Amino acid sequence: MDTFMANTVLFAQLIPDRITEIYANLPADQHITWIYNPTMHWIGIWIAALLTFAMYSFLYKDNVVYKFAEHLYVGISVGYFICITWFNVMKPNLYDPLFTDFSYNKILIIPALFGVSMLFRLSRQYSWISRYGLAYMVASGAGLAIPAMIQAMILRHMWSTFVPLWGGQTGYTFMSIFSSIVIIVGVLSVLIYFFFSLEHKGAIGKISQVGILYLMVTFGTAFGYTVMARISLLIGRMQFLLEQWMGRQLG
Amino acid sequence: MNLVKKQIPITLAFFIGMFMWLQNYLPNHDVQEIYRTINLWSLIIIGFTLIVGIYSLLNHHAQKIKRKTPQWGFSVVVYIAMFTMVGAGLIDSKHMEAGGPLMWLFDNMQVPMQSTMFSILAFYIVSAAYRAFRARTKEATILLVTAIVVMLGRVPIGEVMFGKGLPVFTEWLLATPSMAAQRGILLGVGLAAIATALRIIFGIERTYMGGGGD
């Protein structure tokens, strides 16, 4: 068994769906399917590993290899986004209906015209035509936002904040009563902190100071979560390099 | 001309916005069918806006190539990468399903580069934290302590170092004071979003229309 096949088999042992086994069991006419092809899979792992190193090379300093990977990433991302938009939105909702049964779907010319109007954004003289498409998009989003915001942002949060201190869902424990008070004080003090129609002096100033302390707690938790999310991505990349690329069994 | 350039788009925004708002209170089959159609049309229009973005990106890099600015070769990389991806999508009989060249490129190029790029921030965020979090004030101290507590309280080592109380305290911190401040922020965001939406629908807010004359 050569090194390539040894790596492939080792990798197949590491991953749950056992690529080589699946590939071997596929009918011969499906062997060209890329993802199940061990060769393509192995090449893919090498490309991914090299690109990972190229990206990490930025930690040393901005360099040519990083710039190459960065521009490659931009191009690949845009290309993928084009494919997603075409295959998931434009083709099934506009292209296919218009080109398969035009007479039944001719109403779709209207959104197509609105869409084409957006392209006039590129013209200095006729950019006003894009206002039609923009008005349609922005207003439909604005109209949808009103009931959604009332339900999700206002009513739900008020419902969860202003609860009985004891009895009902909160129960009778000291901790639940204390937590309810902490929440009510927090919500009101933060709202007062963001209320700029009154000068933050005297009682208002003191309450808004309490609001700042609550906000600091929230920013601290958000920061902690962000750090953890980034480190978990870092662990993911290290796992990829060690397990899939180098073939080391971890854990 | 003012009518065509300004009044008709504002009127269109008013009717579309009002319908999308009021349909929420009208569970009639026909109304919901119109609502679905408007939503679908929005998706189609958004699809066209992609062309504007792509043109802008390609034009930016085309200018670099044309003027032979320093490191213009990287702009060629953008072109090649983009067209390769689009080509892979077009020749791919499976399209977005796993097993085709498009998803192969996505899995082996975009996913690793994306997660690596974001994981680089793990290094920079530590140095940024050192500069930003030096506990100079009461507020900075609270932020620093909360961040450390959350980070330690969500991993097993925190429990090993400080006992079972730390994860419980972390949960309380997240569910009570942090949640309270988030609710305050979200209530404000909700009210502001409603106010902005109303301003758009009633034609008071027109900045989305941009330039292009009156």
Side-chain angles (χ1 to χ4, degrees):
Chain A
M1 192 182 288
D2 61 6
T3 319
F4 155 64
M5 272 314 289
N7 271 330
T8 308
V9 170
L10 183 64
F11 177 67
Q13 285 165 352
L14 287 170
I15 60 167
D17 53 353
R18 300 178 69 85
I19 284 168
T20 310
E21 196 180 308
I22 293 167
Y23 185 73
N25 291 330
L26 278 174
D29 61 332
Q30 287 183 26
H31 274 205
I32 49 161
T33 311
W34 283 46
I35 199 118
Y36 297 128
N37 185 327
T39 311
M40 290 311 296
H41 202 87
W42 189 74
I43 292 169
I45 284 173
W46 267 91
I47 289 172
L50 292 174
L51 288 173
T52 302
F53 284 124
M55 282 290 180
Y56 277 138
S57 70
F58 186 75
L59 290 170
Y60 171 61
K61 66 175 186 181
D62 199 1
N63 61 77
V64 176
V65 177
Y66 172 76
K67 275 201 185 306
F68 171 80
E70 185 189 29
H71 285 79
L72 188 71
Y73 175 63
V74 171
I76 291 277
S77 304
V78 172
Y80 182 69
F81 195 52
I82 292 170
C83 292
I84 287 240
T85 311
W86 174 249
F87 289 119
N88 291 352
V89 179
M90 301 304 272
K91 192 169 182 288
N93 297 319
L94 185 70
Y95 182 83
D96 285 347
L98 277 180
F99 285 87
T100 50
D101 191 357
F102 178 78
S103 56
Y104 183 73
N105 295 305
K106 56 181 174 247
I107 190 86
L108 287 173
I109 288 174
I110 298 170
L113 286 174
F114 275 124
V116 170
S117 81
M118 298 296 287
L119 305 182
F120 285 92
R121 203 76 201 155
L122 298 167
S123 156
R124 198 165 288 178
Q125 194 181 354
Y126 298 105
S127 70
W128 60 269
I129 297 173
S130 68
R131 288 173 179 176
Y132 284 83
L134 277 169
Y136 186 100
M137 274 202 314
V138 173
S140 66
L144 273 178
I146 295 173
M149 288 290 162
I150 291 171
Q151 283 170 16
M153 295 279 205
I154 313 274
L155 294 179
R156 192 163 291 174
H157 288 297
M158 285 178 70
W159 180 262
S160 309
T161 304
F162 298 101
V163 291
L165 286 179
W166 53 85
Q169 289 180 336
T170 55
Y172 289 95
T173 63
F174 166 76
M175 203 56 205
S176 66
I177 295 168
F178 176 68
S179 296
S180 295
I181 293 169
V182 169
I183 286 179
I184 292 167
V185 171
V187 172
L188 292 177
S189 59
V190 169
L191 280 173
I192 286 171
Y193 171 73
F194 284 114
F195 190 65
F196 298 114
S197 299
L198 283 172
E199 203 175 347
H200 288 192
K201 276 182 178 175
I204 298 291
K206 288 210 166 49
I207 296 168
S208 65
Q209 281 294 314
V210 176
I212 292 172
L213 300 183
Y214 272 92
L215 286 169
M216 288 301 134
V217 172
T218 302
F219 296 150
T221 56
F223 182 81
Y225 265 129
T226 308
V227 171
M228 289 178 79
R230 303 294 181 226
I231 288 177
S232 102
L233 280 171
L234 180 66
I235 292 167
R237 293 323 298 155
M238 291 302 124
Q239 274 182 329
F240 164 77
L241 290 173
L242 289 169
E243 289 183 353
Q244 297 191 16
W245 184 59
M246 290 174 71
R248 298 262 189 272
Q249 182 85 54
L250 296 177
Chain B
M1 206 57 185
N2 194 36
L3 179 79
V4 180
K5 282 187 177 179
K6 206 169 171 183
Q7 299 304 329
I8 294 177
I10 289 170
T11 312
L12 177 76
F14 173 76
F15 282 111
I16 297 279
M18 284 303 280
F19 177 81
M20 293 304 266
W21 175 15
L22 297 178
Q23 60 76 28
N24 192 57
Y25 312 102
L26 300 167
N28 175 280
H29 177 264
D30 293 335
V31 172
Q32 291 305 311
E33 199 56 45
I34 298 169
Y35 159 74
R36 273 189 288 275
T37 306
I38 290 177
N39 258 345
L40 180 70
W41 288 12
S42 283
L43 277 177
I44 292 169
I45 298 167
I46 290 167
F48 276 95
T49 60
L50 183 68
I51 299 169
V52 181
I54 294 162
Y55 171 81
S56 182
L57 178 82
L58 294 184
N59 187 45
H60 171 76
H61 286 286
Q63 293 303 319
K64 278 188 169 181
I65 295 166
K66 196 173 157 189
R67 290 176 189 156
K68 295 266 191 298
T69 56
Q71 300 186 326
W72 61 272
F74 294 122
S75 296
V76 179
V77 174
V78 174
Y79 267 82
I80 293 170
M82 195 195 87
F83 285 114
T84 304
M85 203 69 173
V86 173
L90 292 175
I91 61 160
D92 185 0
S93 59
K94 285 176 171 292
H95 299 315
M96 305 305 292
E97 289 173 30
L102 180 73
M103 291 315 286
W104 186 86
L105 286 169
F106 176 76
D107 288 335
N108 296 302
M109 293 182 95
Q110 188 172 335
V111 170
M113 281 196 284
Q114 191 164 304
S115 49
T116 309
M117 193 172 265
F118 283 109
S119 76
I120 286 176
L121 284 175
F123 295 94
Y124 291 104
I125 216 163
V126 173
S127 67
Y130 174 73
R131 286 195 297 274
F133 284 0
R134 273 175 293 182
R136 287 174 179 163
T137 60
K138 181 177 61 183
E139 288 81 10
T141 311
I142 291 172
L143 201 150
L144 174 67
V145 170
T146 313
I148 292 169
V149 166
V150 167
M151 281 188 274
L152 286 174
R154 305 293 281 184
V155 289
I157 198 169
E159 196 175 323
V160 172
M161 286 167 72
F162 299 99
K164 287 184 177 175
L166 188 70
V168 175
F169 179 65
T170 305
E171 280 303 319
W172 182 82
L173 210 59
L174 290 165
T176 310
S178 175
M179 176 57 72
Q182 278 181 43
R183 277 192 192 145
I185 294 168
L186 291 173
L187 280 167
V189 168
L191 289 168
I194 292 165
T196 308
L198 286 171
R199 284 170 62 85
I200 288 168
I201 291 169
F202 290 109
I204 303 163
E205 175 69 55
R206 299 174 185 185
T207 47
Y208 68 89
M209 289 181 148
D214 295 323

